[in-house]
Amino acid sequence: MPSAVDSVFEVAFWLNDRALNDNEYLQPTKLQCLLFLAQAYYAVAYEGKRLVPAIFVADEMGPIEPSIYAAYVRGRPNLIIDTRLDEETGAFVDSIWRRFGHHSTEYLVKLCKRNPAYRLALKRGDRKSTRLNSSHTD
């Protein structure tokens, strides 16, 4: 099933840019949580469809998207990414930012760790896929 965007980096960079526009530093862990929540809520809103073509894995620190994790080790990677999302996708990601962006990293990690898909994946073992679907949001 195709995703709404071509790359997880499109949404990650959009969120980074939005945070900067709001004079906020977006910590890598908070970015991971926002991406996870966006993917989960998108699946609910759009009958199981994916926002980003990514698989999140369960880690003790919370859900992570491995490509974003590796790329952001030393800060925002120097990639040329088009962050212009189509109107519907942009509005959706903006709604995620407005709903969750003001929360602390610690709050978002706790929220993500309560997600049934995350808990099940962590129970199966560290770094297992969260397999998000439309029934996995709080």
Side-chain angles (χ1 to χ4, degrees), residues 96-124:
I96 293 296
W97 176 256
R98 285 183 284 109
R99 182 170 182 179
F100 298 109
H102 66 281
H103 289 291
S104 70
T105 300
E106 294 76 23
Y107 173 86
L108 293 176
V109 167
K110 287 178 185 176
L111 178 64
C112 289
K113 284 184 171 184
R114 289 195 321 248
N115 181 282
Y118 169 81
R119 289 194 325 255
L120 180 61
L122 194 61
K123 187 185 288 187
R124 289 193 333 263

Side-chain angles (χ1 to χ4, degrees), residues 9-80:
F9 288 96
E10 292 173 63
V11 176
F13 278 33
W14 188 99
L15 289 166
N16 269 265
D17 292 346
R18 177 62 188 268
L20 286 173
N21 288 340
D22 289 353
N23 293 317
E24 183 177 326
Y25 168 69
L26 187 55
Q27 298 173 345
T29 302
K30 185 172 181 175
L31 174 62
Q32 291 284 350
C33 289
L34 290 170
L35 289 169
F36 178 78
L37 291 167
Q39 186 85 319
Y41 278 83
Y42 194 87
V44 170
Y46 294 94
E47 300 174 358
K49 293 180 182 174
R50 290 181 182 208
L51 172 64
V52 295
I55 301 292
F56 290 82
V57 296
D59 186 272
E60 284 296 327
M61 67 182 193
I64 63 169
E65 197 292 318
S67 297
I68 294 293
Y69 183 82
Y72 275 79
V73 167
R74 291 185 178 89
R76 182 176 174 153
N78 188 17
L79 301 172
I80 298 171

